């Protein structure tokens, strides 16, 4: 699975989101920033995204996918920096 494939799937679920992926082979860390997450808890944010990759996770094609899903306000409040591909 490639970073572009991951971004395309998540982008279809969250149009307009800022999405970035780090990792390689079958282990990735995914950052998604979207207003869609406002008012939702962590599980409500992550479940729909992880469901996009159920087949790959079940088959072992994808071993690990860490999801960090934040609103733009939450991202601005973070003290750490995240590199976002535009």
């Amino acid at each position: 699975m490639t970073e572009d494939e991951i971004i395309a799937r998540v982008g279809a679920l969250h149009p307009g989101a800022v999405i970035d992926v780090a990792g390689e082979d079958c282990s990735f860390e995914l950052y998604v920033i979207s207003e869609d997450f406002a008012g939702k808890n962590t599980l409500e944010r992550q479940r729909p995204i992880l469901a996009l990759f159920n087949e790959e996770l079940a088959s072992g094609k994808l071993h690990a996918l860490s999801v960090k899903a934040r609103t733009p306000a939450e991202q601005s409040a973070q003290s750490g920096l995240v590199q976002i591909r535009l």
Side-chain angles (χ1 to χ4, degrees):
M1 176 152 264
T2 68
E3 292 180 8
D4 289 340
E5 291 172 318
I6 294 170
I7 290 171
R9 286 191 197 184
V10 176
L13 181 65
H14 294 287
V18 176
I19 303 166
D20 194 28
V21 179
E24 58 184 83
D25 294 331
C26 54
S27 182
F28 294 94
E29 191 163 289
L30 174 63
Y31 299 90
V32 185
I33 301 169
S34 173
E35 287 291 347
D36 294 347
F37 301 130
K40 295 181 179 177
N41 65 36
T42 301
L43 288 177
E44 292 169 330
R45 296 174 182 196
Q46 293 178 343
R47 277 190 186 139
I49 294 171
L50 290 171
L52 296 171
F53 303 95
N54 278 344
E55 185 177 318
E56 289 80 7
L57 289 166
S59 71
K61 184 177 177 182
L62 186 61
H63 290 276
L65 180 62
S66 171
V67 177
K68 306 241 187 291
R70 299 182 179 124
T71 65
E74 292 168 340
Q75 182 61 31
S76 294
Q78 291 289 314
S79 60
L81 297 175
V82 175
Q83 183 178 10
I84 301 294
R85 182 186 332 184
L86 299 176

